Amino acid sequence: MVSSTVNVVRYTALFSGVFYGWYHLRTLKAEAAKSNIDSASHHQQKLIAEAKAAWKQKQERAAGASPSEVISDPEHPAFDLEKLLTSWDKTS
């Protein structure tokens, strides 16, 4: 027969291990959730920075359009008659 002291030590070790496992799993899940949130935030900031850079390039291209960049070929798919007439009006 096993003494009661040995049973107390066994069950104390068992419940301590279960409690430690639960606490450790909870800690790991919290760290993983925080890591996912940080990763998503970083990805969103990266996308915003890329969008701002693309918008800035688009604005610079639109503002820097000179008469020499106007397409005068009516067969070209990007031909714009209004831009062509405006450029001719500015040069006259």
Side-chain angles (χ1 to χ4, degrees), residues 14-86:
L14 175 68
F15 291 124
S16 297
V18 169
F19 177 74
Y20 173 75
W22 170 79
Y23 180 75
H24 188 64
L25 180 65
R26 186 173 159 222
T27 305
L28 290 176
K29 283 185 178 182
E31 288 176 6
K34 184 179 182 232
S35 175
N36 287 343
I37 290 170
D38 291 343
S39 176
S41 174
H42 178 68
H43 180 68
Q44 186 178 14
Q45 288 174 355
K46 181 181 173 188
L47 290 176
I48 289 170
E50 288 176 1
K52 284 182 179 180
W55 183 81
K56 187 176 180 181
Q57 276 185 340
K58 182 179 177 185
Q59 294 300 319
E60 288 174 355
R61 276 188 271 140
S66 65
S68 63
E69 294 178 4
V70 175
I71 300 171
S72 61
D73 180 19
E75 299 296 323
H76 194 276
F79 175 72
D80 188 7
L81 182 61
E82 186 176 343
K83 284 184 183 178
L84 181 63
L85 294 176
T86 306

